[in-house]
Structure formats: structure tokens, C-alpha cells
Amino acid sequence: MAGEGIPKTMEAIVCHGIKDYRYEVVPVPEVGPGEILTKVLAVGICAGDAKCYAGAMLFWGDKDREAYCQPPIIPGHEFICQVVKMGEGVADKTGLQIGDNCISEQIVPCWECRFCKRGAYHMCIPHNIYGFRQPVPGAMASYMKFPANSITHKVPKDIPAWQAAYIEPLACSLHAVERGDIKFADVVVVSGCGPLGLGMVAGAKQKSPAMVIALDMFDWKLDLAKECGADRVFNPSKCNVIEEVQKLTDGYGCDVYIEATGHPSSVKQGLLMIAKLGTFVEYSVFGSETTVDWTIIGDTKELNIHGGHLGPGTYPKAISMIATNQLPMAKIISHQLPLKDVVKGIDLVNKSSESIKIVLIPSGK
């Protein structure tokens, strides 16, 4: 259906290995029944993309894990696209039409494994996330294909593309908040005010807890956290944040601690800060192993430790929050760069001090 004017080749970033991302010309994907060809309008650089580029064990394996990344592969799982061609059956299944702006959830489920059949599709065993696995090339290109098994959402056209690229990370943030099982009387701490952390602050605030506290090493990011809904903010480099949180909670500590930095010191900080019977949510990618005294989890505090992964069921809420201007998007999207400047963008993500969310804009060629 449709597809007129689509070129045979396109620009793309191709990951060939650690610190080996190349700007290339590759074929435009072909689509079959149930598949969607889209034109990429914008694509974000995730901290996971930056850590994959740098060689993090999660992506390249270690003695206990096989490599997750399968090069050569086009990266990119945070994106907004426009439908340009649809295979047979797509319109009836998705309600999409040619010209619609849309997003596909970052994982393409198999719908056959134990987890998919139980509804936990974000834990799908093949675990085909765009931009890392061979069956699902990502969005750092002019065009990308949504497979027949993908989960798609229509996105209002009045959301600018550079803002819509934040839907995926915001959906992840909201899932982390849900994993916190936040109650009205809770004091919630979000550690790290990057793209995920800011979304977590905004999402936690919508749960109406007693207090939302944001932590970050940069004061300008803490100012932005206030705009996202944080009641109090603290810089761990300027004060003892554990003592500050204890002062605000009559010495008990926070009820929910959401870790969004991927830094070992934030993990230890959270375990010391959190109240007995509290909930610790881990939602980040670490560059190396992290060691803490696990005694505090069981014998000392009897904590609930919840992992968080992807954004199952939270995309509609993320789209709604951006569409209704509930976040300071012009400040969260700190940089827009041409696609070919991906390494420059990754460097900005890794520096952290100068950026929040980096968005790449393909030329369309």
C-alpha cells in the first residue's frame, strides 16, 4: 500500500563493534505482509547506546553472558516515524494510515515464549530490541521497518518530532515508577536527573506521594527536576544526602528509592538511605560490576528489590504527558544533531555535564 517516491538506498549509522559506528549508505528495507515501512523523523541516543558504544558487558558479553549486540546492526530504539508503506493487513490490525506519525515499542515480542503468553512481553526470550539484534535494525537511518510482531502506537502530529523521540524513555521512566508501587504517604527519592530520572520525577509526582526528592551532581539538572515536579532536590557533592533525607523523614529514610544513574555509589547510597521495608527500584545500565553489602537488604531492613526494564503498558501515558505539555520538553531535549554526528552525540551523553537528551535528525536521504 502506497510507497511512491521511496528511494532504494538511505543514510544509516551502522555499529560494527565497540567504538566502531560508521556512517554508511545501505538499502532501504523491504516490507512484507503485516510489516510497516516508516520514514524516521527523529531518533534519540540512549545511555544504553552510549554504553554499548563504549563496550559495556551487557552488550558485548563477559564470562557469564553472551554478547547481546549483534553487529553489523543499525542502532536506535528511541524514535518517532511516519508511515510511508504498509504490508497487507496492517491497516486493519493497527488502524494506521499512510502519513501517520507512529512509534513502535522498543521490543518486538515473539508472542510464543512463556513470558509473552503470560502478558510479560517485555521479558520475551528472543528479546529483539531495535538496534541491537539482527532481526530488528534500529532507527539511526532515514527509514526503518516495523516487523509484523511489533507493538505500534499512533502519535499526534502536533507533537514535534524532536519531542516525540522522548516517548520511549518516558515510557521506561513510567514503568520504573510503577515498579515502585508508590503510596500516598511515601517519600520517594529519584537518584539521577538525566532523561530517565526526570521522567521518573514527573511520573512519581503524578502518583501523589507525600514528597518527591531528586538527587543529581549538577545543580542545573536539579533545577530542571523542580520543573518536573520534585519537591526537594539535593546535590550529593555538596551535602550528605542520606542525612538530609533522614531529617525530612523523622530519621526513617525514604520509602521508595529509584536508582537511575548506573553508578555503584548511587546503589550504596540508596541502600543506606531507604527505610526499613522500603522498595528499591533499579533502572539503569552499569558499565561494570557493582558490589555492596547485601546484608542490609535482608537481615537489616527487609527491603523489596525491584528491577525495571523497558516500558510495558506505559506508552499511551507517555504520549499523553508529552501531548499535554506536562514536561519542560524544550529543556529536556538539550541537543538536536544531524544523524552523521552520532559519535559527537554519544560523547555528549557520556559527559553528562552538558546535556540531557540528545536527538538525531536524519536528512531523509
Side-chain angles (χ1 to χ4, degrees):
M1 183 183 295
E4 294 82 3
I6 298 171
K8 297 293 185 183
T9 60
M10 63 180 183
E11 66 170 350
I13 303 301
V14 181
C15 165
H16 289 271
I18 298 172
K19 295 186 178 180
D20 186 6
Y21 283 37
R22 307 175 196 173
Y23 181 75
E24 299 180 0
V25 175
V26 302
V28 171
E30 297 287 340
V31 295
E35 298 179 335
I36 307 170
L37 181 65
T38 68
K39 183 176 183 178
V40 181
L41 304 178
V43 53
I45 301 177
C46 175
D49 293 320
K51 289 177 180 178
C52 181
Y53 177 83
M57 294 181 295
L58 169 65
F59 303 104
W60 300 105
D62 56 21
K63 62 182 178 62
D64 299 314
R65 292 175 289 187
E66 293 183 2
Y68 181 70
C69 188
Q70 297 175 334
I73 187 70
I74 298 172
H77 58 275
E78 304 177 355
F79 50 81
I80 180 67
C81 298
Q82 185 177 71
V83 179
V84 296
K85 187 176 181 180
M86 298 189 296
E88 182 182 353
V90 170
D92 291 338
K93 177 185 175 183
T94 67
L96 292 172
Q97 299 179 353
I98 300 298
D100 282 345
N101 286 2
C102 64
I103 186 171
S104 172
E105 296 196 18
Q106 70 279 78
I107 190 168
V108 179
C110 71
W111 301 118
E112 295 295 333
C113 71
R114 171 195 296 180
F115 299 108
C116 285
K117 288 180 178 179
R118 291 177 178 176
Y121 64 87
H122 62 304
M123 287 293 146
C124 174
I125 288 296
H127 221 70
N128 287 325
I129 294 179
Y130 289 112
F132 298 108
R133 312 290 283 181
Q134 281 296 315
V136 284
M140 291 188 186
S142 295
Y143 294 86
M144 72 177 295
K145 178 174 70 174
F146 297 173
N149 282 353
S150 62
I151 304 171
T152 59
H153 301 274
K154 185 177 178 179
V155 176
K157 282 199 169 185
D158 56 359
I159 300 180
W162 57 273
Q163 293 187 20
Y166 185 63
I167 293 170
E168 189 273 351
L170 180 56
C172 292
S173 298
L174 296 178
H175 179 53
V177 168
E178 290 193 331
R179 293 289 287 155
D181 193 24
I182 296 168
K183 306 294 193 299
F184 292 134
D186 286 348
V187 172
V188 180
V189 171
V190 176
S191 180
C193 293
L196 288 178
L198 292 172
M200 292 168 185
V201 168
K205 188 67 174 179
Q206 295 212 356
K207 294 289 187 178
S208 299
M211 186 182 302
V212 178
I213 301 170
L215 310 177
D216 201 90
M217 301 293 283
F218 300 104
D219 289 341
W220 69 273
K221 293 187 178 183
L222 293 174
D223 291 338
L224 193 48
K226 292 179 183 177
E227 293 189 47
C228 291
D231 300 298
R232 301 293 296 269
V233 298
F234 296 108
N235 186 329
S237 70
K238 295 185 176 181
C239 68
N240 185 321
V241 293
I242 297 172
E243 290 183 359
E244 293 298 330
V245 170
Q246 288 176 336
K247 289 177 187 176
L248 292 170
T249 58
D250 296 325
Y252 288 102
C254 63
D255 303 287
V256 179
Y257 184 91
I258 306 178
E259 203 293 301
T261 71
H263 195 280
S265 63
S266 177
V267 176
K268 182 177 181 180
Q269 170 184 274
L271 292 175
L272 295 174
M273 179 186 296
I274 197 167
K276 292 181 179 181
L277 302 179
T279 297
F280 186 114
V281 179
E282 181 55 61
Y283 201 115
S284 51
V285 175
F286 288 77
S288 58
E289 292 185 354
T290 297
T291 302
V292 295
D293 179 2
W294 274 57
T295 307
I296 196 170
I297 294 171
D299 195 51
T300 307
K301 294 186 176 182
E302 196 175 324
L303 300 177
N304 301 305
I305 306 297
H306 291 178
H309 182 55
L310 306 185
T314 54
Y315 277 73
K317 178 64 174 176
I319 293 169
S320 174
M321 288 178 69
I322 295 174
T324 53
N325 302 308
Q326 296 182 42
L327 293 150
M329 293 303 303
K331 296 180 181 179
I332 292 175
I333 308 300
S334 58
H335 295 75
Q336 298 181 56
L337 302 173
L339 181 65
K340 61 183 176 62
D341 287 347
V342 61
V343 175
K344 178 181 177 181
I346 288 172
D347 288 342
L348 283 167
V349 171
N350 285 330
K351 285 179 182 176
S352 178
S353 61
E354 302 173 12
S355 68
I356 300 288
K357 172 53 64 181
I358 313 297
V359 171
L360 302 174
I361 309 296
S363 69
K365 298 178 180 179

